[in-house]
Amino acid sequence: NGRLEVDCIIDEGGKIFPIEIKSSTTVASDFFHGINQWNVMAGVPPKNSYIIYGGSLKQERSVGNIVGWKDAGTLVSDIIKES
């Protein structure tokens, strides 16, 4: 459709943290496609990006961070602590 969007944006201390939410229990590389385009447009480094998904893996990758749905509840407080 040509539109660019992310599911959630946290603005903390002048830093932007985009979040995409995916229902799949398996991480796929295309999860990062939209959020990476958004990061380029907004000038946000990949380390500030998060994908919440239906699995349990928690991992830092060069294209962003992966967080399982069970850890999603503490994600905002974790971001605030790191800022």
Side-chain angles (χ1 to χ4, degrees), residues 15-36:
K15 294 180 183 176
I16 303 291
F17 299 88
I19 299 170
E20 275 286 290
I21 301 169
K22 305 293 185 182
S23 62
S24 175
T25 57
T26 305
V27 176
S29 60
D30 68 336
F31 282 5
F32 292 95
H33 180 72
I35 205 165
N36 286 338

Side-chain angles (χ1 to χ4, degrees), residues 3 10 16-17 24 29 33 36 42 45-46 53 57 59 62 68 71 80 83:
R3 295 181 4 191
I10 297 172
I16 303 291
F17 299 88
S24 175
S29 60
H33 180 72
N36 286 338
Y53 81 114
L57 181 69
Q59 187 178 62
S62 61
D71 294 316
I80 291 170
S83 292

Side-chain angles (χ1 to χ4, degrees), residues 52-58 67-75:
I52 297 172
Y53 81 114
S56 59
L57 181 69
K58 189 172 187 179
V67 178
W69 69 273
K70 289 183 179 180
D71 294 316
T74 60
L75 181 58

Side-chain angles (χ1 to χ4, degrees), residues 32-52:
F32 292 95
H33 180 72
I35 205 165
N36 286 338
Q37 287 184 327
W38 192 91
N39 286 343
V40 169
M41 181 198 71
V44 173
K47 68 178 183 161
N48 289 7
S49 302
Y50 291 86
I51 303 289
I52 297 172

